[in-house]
Amino acid sequence: MTTSLFHLAFPIHDIDAALRFYVDGLGCTVGRQSKQAVTLGLAGHQLVAHLVQDQPPKQKGIYPSHFGLVFLSLEEWQDLADRAQAQDLTFYQQPRVRFPGTRIEHRTFFLKDPSHNLLEFKHYTHESAIFGEQDHGQVGDSSEYAE
């Protein structure tokens, strides 16, 4: 049992659009809100979306920046993928299997929020791949899948 939560702050360009994506689309809970920021709950973790005037430049591909969740249950991962499709959220990459047949095999999909932040949601076939499997030197995809 952990006694700490993960916190992430990120830029947005429109609070109402962010609320539609994160609350209506993903099912996040809303915490404190001001004219400049909104606190969101995602799977028990704290996200804070901060309004910025100038959007950061769009990155090319999924690297270096994205955030999301690692699901321990394939059913919960699939439920979110189905919810995202039903809510017409923008998929940056459709659900797929990465590294099939290996100890780091996992299912993944990427969403793009209205401010072009990328979110990844994944489920590992072998839970040991979340923090282990050091004999597999690969982290992330090749450039073929980076965009």
Side-chain angles (χ1 to χ4, degrees):
M1 181 71 135
T2 183
T3 58
S4 56
L5 302 175
F6 181 74
H7 162 79
L8 175 73
F10 59 97
I12 58 168
H13 74 281
D14 181 319
I15 287 181
D16 290 333
L19 288 170
R20 283 190 300 277
F21 179 87
Y22 287 94
V23 177
D24 300 338
L26 290 180
C28 291
T29 58
V30 178
R32 296 180 314 278
Q33 185 174 350
S34 71
K35 291 180 181 177
Q36 293 81 27
V38 61
T39 302
L40 303 162
L42 176 64
H45 301 283
Q46 184 190 58
L47 304 180
V48 183
H50 290 275
L51 190 62
V52 296
Q53 295 303 315
D54 297 320
Q55 279 294 107
K58 291 181 191 175
Q59 65 186 28
K60 295 178 182 172
I62 59 176
Y63 304 119
S65 296
H66 62 268
F67 65 94
L69 296 173
V70 176
F71 288 94
L72 300 179
S73 159
L74 177 57
E75 293 76 23
E76 289 181 14
W77 177 85
Q78 188 62 59
D79 287 347
L80 185 61
D82 294 343
R83 178 187 178 108
Q85 290 175 333
Q87 293 288 327
D88 288 327
L89 299 183
T90 301
F91 279 81
Y92 189 80
Q93 288 185 358
Q94 292 292 321
R96 65 186 176 98
V97 176
R98 290 162 87 181
F99 313 115
T102 71
R103 294 290 301 170
I104 60 172
E105 175 180 290
H106 60 281
R107 282 148 186 77
T108 183
F109 64 91
F110 282 81
L111 298 175
K112 181 170 63 168
D113 81 2
S115 295
H116 306 291
N117 295 298
L118 299 180
L119 293 84
E120 181 182 19
F121 300 95
K122 52 187 168 180
H123 170 267
Y124 286 92
T125 303
H126 306 281
E127 195 171 317
S128 61
I130 296 171
F131 296 114
E133 302 299 340
Q134 288 88 350
D135 55 324
H136 287 272
Q138 193 163 9
V139 177
D141 280 326
S142 67
S143 60
E144 172 187 350
Y145 294 109
E147 294 192 33

